[in-house]
Amino acid sequence: MSSGPALRAIGLRKVYGDFAAVKGVDLEVGRGEILGLLGPNGAGKTTTISMMVGLVPPTEGDVLIDGYSVRRDPVKVRARAGLVPDNPGFYDGMTAWNNLWITARLNEVKDESRIDEAISRVGLSGWADVEVGKFSKGMKQRLGIADALLKSPSVLLLDEPTAGLDPGGSDDVLRLVRSLASEEGLAVLMSSHLLHQVEWICDRVAVMNEGRVIAQGTLDQLVGRKYYVEMELDGDIDAAVRSLLPVGKVAVDGRKVTVEAEGDVRRRAVDAALRSGAVPVEVRLRRAGLAEVYRSLLGAGS
């Protein structure tokens, strides 16, 4: 096993005719780490994941999993990468155990105890002999993770793993993913549109747009020192805004005035409002989150 990152994409590019779907993506995921892959529809996330597991051949670049190249050693790469699509496909008329038995045979996993272990790991032991057609979507998603775990991968790739799940089902899946990384050392790449979920469980975040990674890092690195001072004002709002403009970027919603700035500028904002004759009735400080960073990178309408 390579001592470097479990997953590494180098200059990954995919072109269909005249259309470049992925344009030189560089990513790394370490063992025990969860990388959240964000971006709007059409950003290239699913194509990137498909190249990482050898389902789609890259036009340029390469993917290394445990040091093995998807170009030179595709069989070894697929043996080490577990893919969980947004809608895992199973035979509804067969039990969970029998569905995984088929996967085990296709992956030359001969030890049938691995099926029981995988089902247990995702919390479905009591449902092993139940037809999958009777499962909820959240249970099918967990079974999809069990399916990916059968070959004991070092990398787990999840494409929208909580799409269509209720809050309880989403929490179950996310806690499972977090434990697979923290307790078993899997490198996890998870694409999602749900920013609060990515912010909750991911160690680092990469944002894609139009086929490129436009930003990546920890949340602290992406957010920096951006803060919001939110004030409820009594008085002349227009005069207060003019006074606040030197402090930071100002947004107004009725009598609520928000000042965006680098660092904690509460004292300056309150002083500026008072100089205008407005009285701050309430003042709150809020640090920027992933949603603000995402909107800033992609535009306010994203």
Side-chain angles (χ1 to χ4, degrees), residues 206-257:
V207 181
M208 287 189 71
N209 192 34
E210 297 181 349
R212 292 187 172 90
V213 174
I214 58 174
Q216 60 178 305
T218 65
L219 186 61
D220 283 345
Q221 289 169 339
L222 293 176
V223 169
R225 299 189 67 250
K226 183 179 289 187
Y227 286 84
Y228 296 88
V229 178
E230 299 171 340
M231 297 187 293
E232 194 80 24
L233 297 180
D234 186 11
D236 188 335
I237 300 300
D238 290 337
V241 169
R242 289 193 295 271
S243 183
L244 286 164
L245 284 174
V247 180
K249 184 178 179 181
V250 181
V252 179
D253 181 11
R255 308 205 68 77
K256 178 183 175 182
V257 176

Side-chain angles (χ1 to χ4, degrees), residues 1 6 31-32 65-66 79-82 151-156 185-188:
M1 182 181 291
R31 305 176 201 286
I65 292 184
D66 285 344
R80 288 163 172 78
K151 52 188 175 181
S152 299
S154 55
V155 175
L156 190 64
L186 268 69
V188 178

